[in-house]
Amino acid sequence: MQKLLGILKIYGIITFGALLAALGISLFLAPVDMVAGGLSGIGILVHSFTGFPVGALMLILNVPLFFLGFRFLGSGFLIRSLYGAFMFSVLTDVTALIPPVTENLILCALFGGAFMGIGLGIIFLLGATTGGTDIAAQLIHRLVRSIDVGKWLLIIDGAVILAAGLATGSWERCLYGIIAAVTNGLLVDMMIQGANFAKVVYIISPKAEEIAEDTMETLDRGATALYCKRMYTKNDGLMLMCVVKKHELTRLEEIVLSHDPTAFIIFSGARSVSGEGFKIYPIN
């Protein structure tokens, strides 16, 4: 029963992410024929010329990309992403029935890109995609990990936007599409990096051992003791290094100050942490 609830939770979150991304297209981008890259951009471009439903075209174009995804990203990726792509396509056409919010191009670019970025970021955190260039971005990221998934999305989206400009001759609208694509890519990165973000805390105190024991017992976080020498007093001692989540910072500081009100505490950001007690996203 617990396993079933976990599965339902995962697919419920994927559905929510797909809904947000679909709203970004249906309420902001598609009504003004703004191409922001990806298969959705190709769908919007084709829709502007033929009236063919955006979601249905995305579903058709996803078929060959899913074969590649299954080959290189595994069956777990396939099941979740098939669901994500299907829900994204269906919800895109369903939400197209909702009247657009605005026809202001800058608002459409910003909010369309934001909705898509947050929605795709949520889906990526669950180890899935909505298909299309999302699959291409993750495949290329596996080859060149020095560039984030969001950056690869931005590169691919730029190529689609350029193609749209050549096809329509509407370069001003393409510039707005670039704004939407940049917003999308940045928010995808922020969603993924935010999930991995933690704090490294360095604590210098003569009561380092008591602080470490209390931290491990209260927060269930480990602590590493580093031997150090205080140059001002010339005394040898210990410096603790702890890695905690952002919401645990206040409690850790309270623990330290309860043992030593004069303790020296240094807070530093950790972009990504893996290991006991921490996860790495996206989950493959």
Side-chain angles (χ1 to χ4, degrees):
M1 185 64 181
Q2 194 70 23
K3 184 177 180 180
L4 177 61
L5 290 175
I7 293 173
L8 291 175
K9 179 181 178 181
I10 288 173
Y11 283 93
I13 295 173
I14 291 175
T15 302
F16 178 67
L19 176 61
L20 289 179
L23 288 172
I25 293 175
S26 299
L27 297 186
F28 299 102
L29 301 181
V32 294
D33 296 329
M34 186 179 296
V35 175
L39 288 191
S40 60
I42 296 173
I44 291 171
L45 182 62
V46 173
H47 174 76
S48 67
F49 285 108
T50 67
F52 195 86
V54 177
L57 183 62
M58 288 193 297
L59 201 56
I60 294 170
L61 295 177
N62 263 318
V63 173
L65 284 168
F66 269 105
F67 279 110
L68 291 174
F70 176 74
R71 172 66 179 82
F72 295 103
L73 299 178
S75 59
F77 153 84
L78 180 68
I79 295 172
R80 293 185 186 185
S81 295
L82 275 173
Y83 179 79
F86 177 76
M87 291 306 299
F88 184 35
S89 299
V90 170
L91 290 171
T92 296
D93 285 344
V94 170
T95 54
L97 301 174
I98 303 173
V101 176
T102 178
E103 294 184 358
N104 183 289
L105 293 181
I106 188 64
L107 291 178
C108 287
L110 291 174
F111 281 92
F115 270 73
M116 287 192 67
I118 295 172
L120 294 179
I122 290 172
I123 293 172
F124 283 174
L125 290 178
L126 274 297
T129 75
T130 55
T133 53
D134 306 344
I135 297 177
Q138 291 207 34
L139 287 169
I140 299 173
H141 176 65
R142 291 173 70 89
L143 298 175
V144 186
R145 293 188 176 273
S146 59
I147 301 178
D148 294 328
V149 173
K151 300 296 191 306
W152 279 121
L153 274 174
L154 189 59
I155 293 169
I156 298 170
D157 289 344
V160 174
I161 293 170
L162 178 62
L166 293 172
T168 63
S170 179
W171 293 107
E172 181 181 1
R173 201 168 295 263
C174 287
L175 293 176
Y176 285 111
I178 292 173
I179 294 174
V182 170
T183 305
N184 178 10
L186 290 176
L187 282 172
V188 167
D189 281 349
M190 288 175 62
M191 292 289 294
I192 295 175
Q193 292 172 9
N196 290 333
F197 191 79
K199 285 285 187 178
V200 182
V201 183
Y202 298 96
I203 304 161
I204 301 175
S205 169
K207 297 185 178 181
E209 293 186 11
E210 294 94 321
I211 293 171
E213 291 177 3
D214 199 354
T215 300
M216 290 186 286
E217 181 179 344
T218 305
L219 292 181
D220 195 25
R221 292 293 183 194
T224 301
L226 306 173
Y227 289 98
C228 64
K229 183 173 183 177
R230 300 172 179 85
M231 298 307 296
Y232 183 76
T233 62
K234 306 301 182 183
N235 294 329
D236 295 333
L238 296 176
M239 177 176 68
L240 295 178
M241 181 184 73
C242 302
V243 180
V244 297
K245 293 291 188 180
K246 289 184 289 186
H247 68 272
E248 297 171 325
L249 282 175
T250 302
R251 185 68 187 110
L252 177 60
E253 188 172 11
E254 290 174 352
I255 291 171
V256 174
L257 296 179
S258 68
H259 290 280
D260 182 6
T262 62
F264 193 68
I265 309 173
I266 304 169
F267 299 95
S268 178
R271 184 172 179 267
S272 182
V273 181
S274 63
E276 185 66 30
F278 293 88
K279 291 181 179 180
I280 276 291
Y281 298 93
I283 305 169
N284 292 317

